[in-house]
PDB file of all heavy atoms in Angstrom:
ATOM      1  N   LEU A 570     -15.894 -15.407  -4.802  1.00 95.00           N
ATOM      2  CA  LEU A 570     -16.697 -15.246  -6.001  1.00 95.00           C
ATOM      3  C   LEU A 570     -15.860 -15.223  -7.284  1.00 95.00           C
ATOM      4  O   LEU A 570     -16.217 -15.877  -8.261  1.00 95.00           O
ATOM      5  CB  LEU A 570     -17.509 -13.932  -5.873  1.00 95.00           C
ATOM      6  CG  LEU A 570     -18.332 -13.531  -7.105  1.00 95.00           C
ATOM      7  CD1 LEU A 570     -19.423 -14.523  -7.386  1.00 95.00           C
ATOM      8  CD2 LEU A 570     -18.898 -12.136  -6.928  1.00 95.00           C
ATOM      9  N   ARG A 571     -14.754 -14.493  -7.244  1.00 94.00           N
ATOM     10  CA  ARG A 571     -13.881 -14.419  -8.418  1.00 94.00           C
ATOM     11  C   ARG A 571     -13.375 -15.833  -8.786  1.00 94.00           C
ATOM     12  O   ARG A 571     -13.410 -16.186  -9.963  1.00 94.00           O
ATOM     13  CB  ARG A 571     -12.711 -13.511  -8.092  1.00 94.00           C
ATOM     14  CG  ARG A 571     -11.634 -13.436  -9.187  1.00 94.00           C
ATOM     15  CD  ARG A 571     -10.461 -12.574  -8.746  1.00 94.00           C
ATOM     16  NE  ARG A 571      -9.727 -13.196  -7.689  1.00 94.00           N
ATOM     17  CZ  ARG A 571      -8.617 -13.905  -7.899  1.00 94.00           C
ATOM     18  NH1 ARG A 571      -8.178 -14.157  -9.143  1.00 94.00           N
ATOM     19  NH2 ARG A 571      -7.950 -14.413  -6.853  1.00 94.00           N
ATOM     20  N   LEU A 572     -12.927 -16.550  -7.798  1.00 93.00           N
ATOM     21  CA  LEU A 572     -12.343 -17.900  -8.141  1.00 93.00           C
ATOM     22  C   LEU A 572     -13.385 -18.832  -8.618  1.00 93.00           C
ATOM     23  O   LEU A 572     -13.188 -19.668  -9.522  1.00 93.00           O
ATOM     24  CB  LEU A 572     -11.642 -18.402  -6.870  1.00 93.00           C
ATOM     25  CG  LEU A 572     -10.423 -17.667  -6.383  1.00 93.00           C
ATOM     26  CD1 LEU A 572     -10.014 -18.188  -5.045  1.00 93.00           C
ATOM     27  CD2 LEU A 572      -9.325 -17.681  -7.427  1.00 93.00           C
ATOM     28  N   GLU A 573     -14.589 -18.749  -8.032  1.00 93.00           N
ATOM     29  CA  GLU A 573     -15.681 -19.687  -8.421  1.00 93.00           C
ATOM     30  C   GLU A 573     -16.169 -19.347  -9.837  1.00 93.00           C
ATOM     31  O   GLU A 573     -16.562 -20.229 -10.609  1.00 93.00           O
ATOM     32  CB  GLU A 573     -16.838 -19.586  -7.436  1.00 93.00           C
ATOM     33  CG  GLU A 573     -16.498 -20.147  -6.044  1.00 93.00           C
ATOM     34  CD  GLU A 573     -16.199 -21.634  -6.064  1.00 93.00           C
ATOM     35  OE1 GLU A 573     -16.866 -22.366  -6.750  1.00 93.00           O
ATOM     36  OE2 GLU A 573     -15.196 -22.026  -5.390  1.00 93.00           O
ATOM     37  N   LEU A 574     -16.174 -18.082 -10.225  1.00 94.00           N
ATOM     38  CA  LEU A 574     -16.569 -17.709 -11.579  1.00 94.00           C
ATOM     39  C   LEU A 574     -15.598 -18.323 -12.563  1.00 94.00           C
ATOM     40  O   LEU A 574     -16.036 -18.750 -13.649  1.00 94.00           O
ATOM     41  CB  LEU A 574     -16.574 -16.164 -11.677  1.00 94.00           C
ATOM     42  CG  LEU A 574     -17.742 -15.435 -11.030  1.00 94.00           C
ATOM     43  CD1 LEU A 574     -17.527 -13.933 -11.111  1.00 94.00           C
ATOM     44  CD2 LEU A 574     -19.037 -15.789 -11.664  1.00 94.00           C
ATOM     45  N   VAL A 575     -14.315 -18.289 -12.246  1.00 91.00           N
ATOM     46  CA  VAL A 575     -13.331 -18.895 -13.177  1.00 91.00           C
ATOM     47  C   VAL A 575     -13.493 -20.381 -13.297  1.00 91.00           C
ATOM     48  O   VAL A 575     -13.486 -20.968 -14.410  1.00 91.00           O
ATOM     49  CB  VAL A 575     -11.927 -18.529 -12.719  1.00 91.00           C
ATOM     50  CG1 VAL A 575     -10.859 -19.245 -13.588  1.00 91.00           C
ATOM     51  CG2 VAL A 575     -11.678 -17.055 -12.777  1.00 91.00           C
ATOM     52  N   ASP A 576     -13.725 -21.040 -12.130  1.00 89.00           N
ATOM     53  CA  ASP A 576     -13.786 -22.505 -12.183  1.00 89.00           C
ATOM     54  C   ASP A 576     -15.076 -23.064 -12.692  1.00 89.00           C
ATOM     55  O   ASP A 576     -15.149 -23.986 -13.508  1.00 89.00           O
ATOM     56  CB  ASP A 576     -13.546 -23.056 -10.747  1.00 89.00           C
ATOM     57  CG  ASP A 576     -12.098 -22.998 -10.323  1.00 89.00           C
ATOM     58  OD1 ASP A 576     -11.247 -22.611 -11.195  1.00 89.00           O
ATOM     59  OD2 ASP A 576     -11.795 -23.279  -9.169  1.00 89.00           O
ATOM     60  N   LEU A 577     -16.216 -22.507 -12.223  1.00 88.00           N
ATOM     61  CA  LEU A 577     -17.534 -23.039 -12.569  1.00 88.00           C
ATOM     62  C   LEU A 577     -18.056 -22.502 -13.889  1.00 88.00           C
ATOM     63  O   LEU A 577     -18.784 -23.289 -14.588  1.00 88.00           O
ATOM     64  CB  LEU A 577     -18.507 -22.752 -11.401  1.00 88.00           C
ATOM     65  CG  LEU A 577     -18.104 -23.280 -10.023  1.00 88.00           C
ATOM     66  CD1 LEU A 577     -19.183 -22.936  -8.995  1.00 88.00           C
ATOM     67  CD2 LEU A 577     -17.917 -24.804 -10.087  1.00 88.00           C
ATOM     68  N   LEU A 578     -17.836 -21.282 -14.188  1.00 89.00           N
ATOM     69  CA  LEU A 578     -18.405 -20.694 -15.408  1.00 89.00           C
ATOM     70  C   LEU A 578     -17.391 -20.441 -16.514  1.00 89.00           C
ATOM     71  O   LEU A 578     -17.743 -19.847 -17.553  1.00 89.00           O
ATOM     72  CB  LEU A 578     -19.113 -19.388 -15.105  1.00 89.00           C
ATOM     73  CG  LEU A 578     -20.231 -19.469 -14.008  1.00 89.00           C
ATOM     74  CD1 LEU A 578     -20.847 -18.072 -13.779  1.00 89.00           C
ATOM     75  CD2 LEU A 578     -21.321 -20.432 -14.500  1.00 89.00           C
ATOM     76  N   SER A 579     -16.125 -20.871 -16.253  1.00 88.00           N
ATOM     77  CA  SER A 579     -15.048 -20.635 -17.215  1.00 88.00           C
ATOM     78  C   SER A 579     -14.971 -19.194 -17.627  1.00 88.00           C
ATOM     79  O   SER A 579     -14.715 -18.819 -18.784  1.00 88.00           O
ATOM     80  CB  SER A 579     -15.257 -21.489 -18.516  1.00 88.00           C
ATOM     81  OG  SER A 579     -15.218 -22.860 -18.139  1.00 88.00           O
ATOM     82  N   CYS A 580     -15.155 -18.288 -16.639  1.00 91.00           N
ATOM     83  CA  CYS A 580     -15.122 -16.892 -16.844  1.00 91.00           C
ATOM     84  C   CYS A 580     -13.654 -16.436 -17.051  1.00 91.00           C
ATOM     85  O   CYS A 580     -12.769 -16.923 -16.366  1.00 91.00           O
ATOM     86  CB  CYS A 580     -15.723 -16.122 -15.662  1.00 91.00           C
ATOM     87  SG  CYS A 580     -15.869 -14.361 -15.840  1.00 91.00           S
ATOM     88  N   PRO A 581     -13.357 -15.580 -18.027  1.00 93.00           N
ATOM     89  CA  PRO A 581     -11.951 -15.093 -18.209  1.00 93.00           C
ATOM     90  C   PRO A 581     -11.483 -14.471 -16.921  1.00 93.00           C
ATOM     91  O   PRO A 581     -12.234 -13.771 -16.228  1.00 93.00           O
ATOM     92  CB  PRO A 581     -12.099 -14.061 -19.331  1.00 93.00           C
ATOM     93  CG  PRO A 581     -13.305 -14.464 -20.076  1.00 93.00           C
ATOM     94  CD  PRO A 581     -14.256 -15.030 -19.056  1.00 93.00           C
ATOM     95  N   PRO A 582     -10.223 -14.702 -16.532  1.00 93.00           N
ATOM     96  CA  PRO A 582      -9.736 -14.180 -15.230  1.00 93.00           C
ATOM     97  C   PRO A 582      -9.907 -12.680 -15.084  1.00 93.00           C
ATOM     98  O   PRO A 582     -10.170 -12.209 -13.987  1.00 93.00           O
ATOM     99  CB  PRO A 582      -8.259 -14.595 -15.262  1.00 93.00           C
ATOM    100  CG  PRO A 582      -8.229 -15.813 -16.121  1.00 93.00           C
ATOM    101  CD  PRO A 582      -9.253 -15.592 -17.189  1.00 93.00           C
ATOM    102  N   ALA A 585     -13.544 -11.929 -14.288  1.00 94.00           N
ATOM    103  CA  ALA A 585     -13.837 -12.379 -12.901  1.00 94.00           C
ATOM    104  C   ALA A 585     -13.194 -11.371 -11.905  1.00 94.00           C
ATOM    105  O   ALA A 585     -13.798 -11.067 -10.871  1.00 94.00           O
ATOM    106  CB  ALA A 585     -13.303 -13.736 -12.720  1.00 94.00           C
ATOM    107  N   ALA A 586     -12.007 -10.885 -12.228  1.00 94.00           N
ATOM    108  CA  ALA A 586     -11.334  -9.900 -11.332  1.00 94.00           C
ATOM    109  C   ALA A 586     -12.198  -8.595 -11.250  1.00 94.00           C
ATOM    110  O   ALA A 586     -12.328  -7.998 -10.176  1.00 94.00           O
ATOM    111  CB  ALA A 586      -9.955  -9.595 -11.793  1.00 94.00           C
TER     112      ALA A 586
END
Side-chain angles (χ1 to χ4, degrees):
L570 172 65
R571 175 183 70 94
L572 295 172
E573 293 297 318
L574 286 174
V575 173
D576 284 355
L577 300 181
L578 301 180
S579 299
C580 186

